[in-house]
Amino acid sequence: MDLVKEHSRAFKLGIGLNLAFIICEAGFGLSSQSLALVADAGHNLSDVLGLVISWAALLLGQRQATCHRTYGYKSISIFAALLNAILLIVAVVLIIIEALQRLRHPAPTGGVTVIVVALIGIFINGGTALLFMHGQHDLNIKSAFMHMAADAIVSVGVVIAGFLILLTGWNWLDPVVSLVIAAVILVGTIGLLRDSWELASGAVPDKIDVNEVRATLCAHPEVNSVHDLHIWALGTSDIALTAHLCRYDFSGNNHLIKLINDEMKAKYGITHVTIQVEQGKLVPELTDHNV
């Protein structure tokens, strides 16, 4: 099955399951007068928003280029990943604030009802996260995975804390477990935030070494030197390259350009290659300030 169609189905299923779970969680929270469940339902609603953002970016990224948007909407996926990373940071901060308040004023967690609902949350959120296991090289898909995985981890923490509290009566365990979970989620989220910001600001994708790409281009005997080499992300799964190649002889240009296109795609995953061939002598090695 095409990966885009597979992910689109995953988004539909994930959004539907999580909306149903939110309604149930809010209902149980209101009926059992559990503020924790009602608050968690609100948190889960923000994660559904994250899924909607990622799905919208996926669909927009498939639209054809136009005279106004010559690369289409591919870059939207980068901003979706960045926005989702910010939403995750906000969610972690809210968890920390709530946990610190509960440390100062420990309160009952709602007992068995909270544990049962959290167990359901593990299956719903964990199952949704598994739908996005494939294709995590795409930051937009990775951000959707992290939203759901984070919720599943929170639910695991709630279950563990709930059972321990039932056994010991130590209500302070709930906020302590929440703080530990928040720290774990924060570590992964900072990485996602850094990676998405790098792509949004036009940086070279992490998996590509510019000097290695330059060396690969210069390795062709027909090429004397390379300058004005630029590599950036068009979207979370599309990379572009432009470069000027200096040659003494223009014969065989078409063959050389096709060879380089195939080479860049096979070795580095660069799918949009634009080469300008110039007649000229060897250009001095370039620095990071003049690529």
Side-chain angles (χ1 to χ4, degrees), residues 60-172:
L60 280 172
Q62 303 309 304
R63 296 182 65 175
Q64 294 296 317
T66 66
C67 292
H68 181 59
R69 297 184 184 276
T70 55
Y71 277 123
Y73 289 83
K74 293 182 182 297
S75 63
I76 293 294
S77 61
I78 297 175
F79 293 103
L82 181 60
L83 180 56
N84 271 325
I86 293 171
L87 285 175
L88 275 167
I89 294 287
V90 171
V92 169
V93 170
L94 292 177
I95 290 172
I96 292 172
I97 292 173
E98 177 67 19
L100 291 175
Q101 289 177 344
R102 291 193 179 195
L103 268 177
R104 287 195 294 268
H105 307 287
T109 60
V112 177
T113 301
V114 172
I115 294 174
V116 171
V117 173
L119 282 170
I120 297 172
I122 292 173
F123 287 105
I124 296 293
N125 295 318
T128 304
L130 289 176
L131 295 174
F132 299 105
M133 282 294 290
H134 297 295
Q136 284 195 53
H137 59 280
D138 185 322
L139 275 185
N140 188 39
I141 300 302
K142 184 177 181 179
S143 68
F145 169 81
M146 287 190 65
H147 265 290
M148 295 298 100
D151 270 355
I153 293 171
V154 169
S155 295
V156 169
V158 169
V159 170
I160 293 173
F163 276 117
L164 290 175
I165 290 169
L166 285 177
L167 291 173
T168 64
W170 297 342
N171 288 317
W172 55 267

Side-chain angles (χ1 to χ4, degrees), residues 182-199:
V184 172
I185 296 172
L186 187 60
V187 171
T189 303
I190 288 174
L192 176 64
L193 182 63
R194 181 193 64 246
D195 292 343
S196 54
W197 170 252
E198 287 289 289
L199 294 188

Side-chain angles (χ1 to χ4, degrees), residues 70-79 139 195-210 213 217 227-244 264 268-276 291:
T70 55
Y71 277 123
Y73 289 83
K74 293 182 182 297
S75 63
I76 293 294
S77 61
I78 297 175
F79 293 103
L139 275 185
D195 292 343
S196 54
W197 170 252
E198 287 289 289
L199 294 188
S201 59
V204 177
D206 279 345
K207 64 180 181 179
I208 295 177
D209 184 333
V210 175
V213 173
L217 292 171
H227 65 96
D228 286 298
L229 172 61
H230 302 284
I231 305 171
W232 72 100
L234 294 175
T236 51
S237 59
D238 292 276
I239 303 172
L241 175 151
T242 61
H244 292 206
M264 291 297 107
Y268 306 107
I270 300 174
T271 52
H272 294 265
V273 178
T274 304
I275 299 295
Q276 178 173 317
V291 296

Side-chain angles (χ1 to χ4, degrees), residues 23 38-39 52 73 94 121 156 183 205 222 226 231 236 261 274 278 285:
I23 294 171
V38 175
V52 171
Y73 289 83
L94 292 177
V156 169
E222 306 94 333
V226 177
I231 305 171
T236 51
N261 269 271
T274 304
E278 301 171 352
E285 280 297 316

Side-chain angles (χ1 to χ4, degrees), residues 28-49:
F28 276 115
L30 293 172
S31 63
S32 63
Q33 296 185 331
S34 171
L35 181 60
L37 284 180
V38 175
D40 192 53
H43 165 67
N44 286 330
L45 187 60
S46 73
D47 286 325
V48 170
L49 175 61

